Structure formats: structure tokens, C-alpha cells
Amino acid sequence: MFRRIAALCTSVALAGCSLAPTYIRPAPPVPTSWPVGDAYVRQSEAALPSVTYRDIFRDSRLQALIAQALVNNRDLRIAVANIEATRAQYRIQRGDLFPQLNATGAYSYRESSRGGVNTGINTGGGVGNGGTGTGTGGTGTGGTGAGTNPGAGTGGTGGTTVISGSNSTFQAQLGITAFEIDLFGRVRSLTGAALSRYFAQEAAARATRLTLTGDVASAWLSYAADKSLLTVAEQTAVAARASVRLTDARRRGGVSPRTDVRQAEQILATAEADLAEQRTLLAQDVNALQLLVGAPVDPALLPAGIEQAAQTIGELPAGIDSGVLLRRPDVVQAEYSLRAFNAEIGAARAALFPRISLTGLVGFASTALRTLFSGDSFNWAVAPNASYPIFRAGAGRAGVDYSVAQRDAALASYEQTIQSAFREVSDALARRGTITEQLAANQRFYVAAQDTLNLTNARYRGGIDTYLTSLDAQRQLYSAQRTLVQTQLVRATNLVTLYRTLGGDSLLDATDQGPRPAAR
């Protein structure tokens, strides 16, 4: 018995070898540094930064909205639930590494009966002419005598005999049923794949969190820009009404033609139409924020305009190389998916080899409960089993090929994710490298348009220029104001985009070299 136990322990100790290919992280298919040139931000050679969203989004109102969203947003709750689901799936798969112990107790009672038939034999005798003597008894029949006198006979004894009995049995057993001894690592490979998918789901949740943070900031800034555009439309409408009154007074005085009044009314109508549109956009911005936050938005947390809100978005530190992309949540998710498919190759390869399982049973059986655990009632049994697929028409090899093809597809997806991330960051850096100059130019244009309007209005009132010149100046100023607001929004959202595309809070751990190793 001890030799068998030692052999079993040796077999279990051998379990754990894996036929999965050794995982080596693929080299990122992108340059180690970002693009350089006139359109890009100049990067210095510095250590990777440590930032959080509070370092970038410095307005306390925006921070409060992001904090609410991280608690209430439904997409994030779904992501957390998916983490719990994949964690449970991993634990289910991991359970196959250990034997399942089943404890059973049983009691049975049986009662039986058995019946038999006895036949009596009678003998009769006498002297006479054949008189017949009849004996009595049970089911026996008297003998027959022959003679001149009645015969006298004695009847035999016959009947049915009943034998009955009962039987009680008590049992207590502890057993292992068909436990697979994982000699070739099939179960362990599947467990590793389940663990990698759990880590991938965690990374997906971090990606959802990062996207949510960026979306809240972008929606907040969009509200600020629409609020500024609403202010511009209101100011333009006020000025246009004054212009209509002025030109109409000049028309009544015979100084200006009616065309001046109609042209002034065009500017007023344009401003009033934009005013109605901006009110609609503001309401929609609030609706978008409420959906992201997952709760009603306090009006006190909303910005008054883009001019002030844009100044609260901080710059990312310099010195970020492309290696930081390996810590982006979507890249981490893609790598863990690659790890999972790599592990499943090992499971497919192990399926080509014999599968050894073990069934064992120890227990007690007795006809009386008081003697159930006595030494004489102990029993045990061991039943190892080995199965090997002799012929499957190539299905086993095809299973390996399928796993390899899935791994190759996951590798291409992982590399494509890195390339897409590199492109997103490069685009954001290109925009960041030129937006400051564009904003400065738009500010100069706005100042010039404002001064032009003042001069043309003075010349119009002095009778030097026509109203058409003043009208063009008003239109140029209105367009310059709207363009300036849009450029301020682009600059602010570009900083949000940089934060998101570089991985956000994943920049925190500068020593992290990517996904954690799969736990065994």
C-alpha cells in the first residue's frame, strides 16, 4: 500500500510540466522615440513622469465631476462586474488542478422471504375386495389398499414452509472521482489561459476608467466652449440690435438708405439664430455630462467659459518615450490576450498525449451503526485509468494548428494595438506642437478685427465709409470671436487627448515593465 501511495505522489509531482511555447514579449513594432520636426513637441531625455488625472485636470470642479463618475458611471460598473465574472471563471478552471473530494453517507435496509412445499406419502393395506382406505393429513393423499375388507391407511404430512429475514447496512465513504493527473500540463495550461484573460479584463476596466476620465474632461470643456459661444452670440445680438436702431434712425432722418437697415437686421438675425443653437448645445452638454457622471450635475460645478476653463488643464511633463505605450491599458489587455492564446497551445499539444485519471475510495461499511468505524469495517479501492486517442482523423493536430493560428492572430492584434496607440500619440503631439502658434494668431486676428470694427463704425458715422464696410467688419469680428473660442477648446482637449493616449494614470509606476507574470 505504501508503495502505491509513493507512486501516486510521484505521478502528481511530475504533473506541472507544460507544452506551451515559452512566452517572450514581442518587440514593439514602433520607433523608440516620437516623431520630430516642426509640427511636433520637442521632447527632452528625462525619466518617465508620475502623474494622475488631478495633476492634469487641476480645476476642483472638474475633479469633483470625475470622482462622481468613477463611482456612478454604469459602463465602469459593467467593467467591474466583468472582472468579477472572469475572476470566477479562473477560479473554476483552477479547481481542476486539485482532486475533488466527495464525502457520502448511506443507509440501506432490506427484508426478504423464501417459501417451500412438502408432500406427505401415505401407505395403506388390508385384505378384502379392494376397499379403499383414505388417510387424512395436511395436503397428503391416503394410499390405496386392495382386498375384500376396507383398507386402513395412514395419511402423510405435507405443507408450505416460510423463511424470512432482514438486512441493514451503514456506509461512510470519502472518494476521488476521475481526477486527472496533469502529466503534460493540459489543465495547467488552461488555468494559465484563464488567469491571463482575468488580467486582460482588469486592463479593460482600466481602459474604461481612462476613457471615462477623458470623456468627462472633454464634455466639461465642450460645455465651457458653448457657454463662451453663447456669450459671444448674446453680445453680438445686443450690438446688432443697437445697430438696427441706429441705422433705422438715420434712415428716418434721411441720412442712410433702407439697405443699411436691412443689412443690420441680417447681422441681428444671424446672432439670434446662433443664440438659440447655443442654448440647445448647452442643454445637450449637460445631458452628456449627466450620462457620464451617472447622476445629476450640480450647476455650481460647471465652468463659466472656455477662457478660464482652458487654463486649468495642465501640461504633461516632457521625457516620455514610446515605451510608455506598453503600459497603456488597451495594450496591456491585448498582451494578456496573446498570453492566453499562447497558453492554449500547450493545452492543445497536451491533448495529443495519454490522459491519466485516478479514482480512489476509502470508507467504512457495517451492518450496525455502532460498529461502523471499527477496524473490520474499513475498506479502500484505487482505480487508475489511462486513455489515449488512437485515431481521431487528424482532429488533435488540427486543434494544435487552430491554437497556433489564434495565437498568431492575437500577436498581430497586439502589434496593431501598439501601432494604433503610437499613431494616436503622434497625432496628438503634432497638434500640440502647432496649436500654440495657431491660438496666438487667432488672438491677434481677434484684436485686429475688434479695432477694425471700431474704426469702420467711426468712419460710417462720419459719413466717410458706407455701412457695407461696417457690416463686413462686424461679420469679421463675430467670426474671429467664434474661431478663437474653438481654438481654445482644441488646445484644451488636445491636452486631454495626450493624457488619454499616453495611458493616463498608467504613467504612475515608472518601474513597471508591463503586465505582471502569470501566477501559477
Side-chain angles (χ1 to χ4, degrees):
M1 176 178 178
F2 290 106
R3 291 181 179 178
R4 293 177 180 177
I5 295 176
L8 176 62
C9 293
T10 302
S11 299
V12 174
L14 289 175
C17 63
S18 175
L19 299 180
T22 302
Y23 178 79
I24 300 175
R25 174 185 287 177
V30 294
T32 57
S33 60
W34 305 114
V36 295
D38 293 338
Y40 297 95
V41 178
R42 183 174 301 172
Q43 298 289 319
S44 64
E45 297 298 327
L48 291 179
S50 295
V51 296
T52 68
Y53 75 84
R54 295 180 181 274
D55 297 322
I56 304 301
F57 310 131
R58 299 170 182 172
D59 193 292
S60 59
R61 296 170 297 179
L62 177 55
Q63 292 177 359
L65 288 174
I66 292 175
Q68 291 180 23
L70 294 178
V71 174
N72 299 320
N73 183 265
R74 269 46 181 186
D75 287 337
L76 202 56
R77 291 185 180 181
I78 293 172
V80 172
N82 289 336
I83 288 177
E84 295 300 324
T86 52
R87 178 187 294 157
Q89 290 175 338
Y90 161 66
R91 294 175 63 185
I92 292 171
Q93 179 60 54
R94 184 173 178 267
D96 291 342
L97 290 173
F98 305 93
Q100 177 179 328
L101 297 178
N102 301 313
T104 59
Y107 167 73
S108 63
Y109 174 80
R110 184 179 64 180
E111 182 173 337
S112 62
S113 61
R114 184 179 60 192
V117 178
N118 294 331
T119 303
I121 300 175
N122 297 328
T123 59
V127 179
N129 294 321
T132 302
T134 303
T136 60
T139 58
T141 302
T144 301
T148 58
N149 296 323
T154 301
T157 302
T160 301
T161 302
V162 178
I163 302 174
S164 63
S166 61
N167 187 354
S168 297
T169 303
F170 298 87
Q171 290 182 339
Q173 295 177 337
L174 186 66
I176 300 172
T177 303
F179 167 61
E180 181 176 349
I181 300 176
D182 197 23
L183 289 178
F184 302 101
R186 188 188 72 87
V187 178
R188 189 167 294 274
S189 294
L190 292 176
T191 303
L195 181 62
S196 292
R197 288 197 168 88
Y198 163 53
F199 290 153
Q201 194 61 52
E202 278 191 332
R206 293 200 302 273
T208 301
R209 181 181 185 275
L210 176 62
T211 300
L212 174 62
T213 301
D215 287 347
V216 171
S218 296
W220 189 78
L221 290 170
S222 294
Y223 177 91
D226 287 334
K227 186 71 172 177
S228 294
L229 291 175
L230 177 65
T231 302
V232 169
E234 289 173 341
Q235 292 173 348
T236 302
V238 170
R241 292 189 187 99
S243 180
V244 168
R245 290 193 298 268
L246 176 62
T247 54
D248 189 55
R250 289 170 64 87
R251 179 190 63 80
R252 291 194 301 268
V255 178
S256 298
R258 185 182 176 189
T259 55
D260 289 356
V261 178
R262 304 305 289 174
Q263 290 171 344
E265 289 175 347
Q266 292 176 22
I267 293 294
L268 176 60
T270 300
E272 288 177 339
D274 290 343
L275 191 61
E277 182 182 7
Q278 290 307 134
R279 287 171 179 162
T280 301
L281 293 176
L282 276 179
Q284 292 174 345
D285 290 339
V286 172
N287 294 337
L289 272 172
Q290 288 180 345
L291 178 61
L292 292 171
V293 172
V297 175
D298 185 356
L301 300 179
L302 298 175
I306 191 63
E307 298 81 10
Q308 181 270 337
Q311 301 302 317
T312 65
I313 309 300
E315 297 271 1
L316 281 169
I320 304 175
D321 62 31
S322 63
V324 75
L325 295 180
L326 297 180
R327 296 200 290 272
R328 248 180 61 150
D330 57 339
V331 175
V332 173
Q333 180 184 4
E335 181 172 359
Y336 273 125
S337 296
L338 174 59
R339 287 173 178 257
F341 285 116
N342 189 77
E344 287 180 346
I345 294 177
R349 288 176 175 175
L352 300 176
F353 293 87
R355 186 176 300 182
I356 300 175
S357 61
L358 176 68
T359 298
L361 179 69
V362 294
F364 299 87
S366 175
T367 58
L369 183 60
R370 67 178 181 274
T371 60
L372 177 60
F373 297 103
S374 64
D376 293 338
S377 61
F378 176 76
N379 59 84
W380 65 277
V382 176
N385 178 63
S387 62
Y388 180 69
I390 299 297
F391 177 73
R392 295 179 59 194
R397 292 291 181 185
V400 176
D401 294 340
Y402 176 72
S403 299
V404 172
Q406 285 189 308
R407 191 273 314 275
D408 293 343
L411 173 60
S413 177
Y414 168 70
E415 293 176 339
Q416 185 181 44
T417 302
I418 295 178
Q419 290 175 336
S420 298
F422 185 86
R423 184 264 176 96
E424 290 175 0
V425 176
S426 298
D427 287 348
L429 289 175
R431 176 74 279 190
R432 181 69 192 93
T434 58
I435 190 62
T436 302
E437 296 176 1
Q438 181 178 343
L439 180 59
N442 288 336
Q443 287 173 334
R444 292 192 301 270
F445 184 87
Y446 165 71
V447 172
Q450 179 69 57
D451 192 43
T452 299
L453 178 61
N454 294 335
L455 293 174
T456 55
N457 283 339
R459 290 171 64 86
Y460 170 69
R461 289 191 296 268
I464 300 175
D465 286 339
T466 63
Y467 186 71
L468 181 59
T469 305
S470 178
L471 181 65
D472 288 340
Q474 291 181 47
R475 288 173 176 168
Q476 288 288 346
L477 177 61
Y478 185 53
S479 177
Q481 289 175 307
R482 293 178 63 87
T483 301
L484 180 60
V485 170
Q486 293 293 343
T487 306
Q488 290 172 328
L489 175 62
V490 169
R491 179 187 179 278
T493 54
N494 174 251
L495 295 175
V496 176
T497 302
L498 273 174
Y499 168 81
R500 182 181 59 81
T501 56
L502 286 170
D505 290 358
S506 64
L507 299 174
L508 277 174
D509 186 1
T511 62
D512 182 18
Q513 296 301 316
R516 72 195 84 175
R520 292 294 185 183

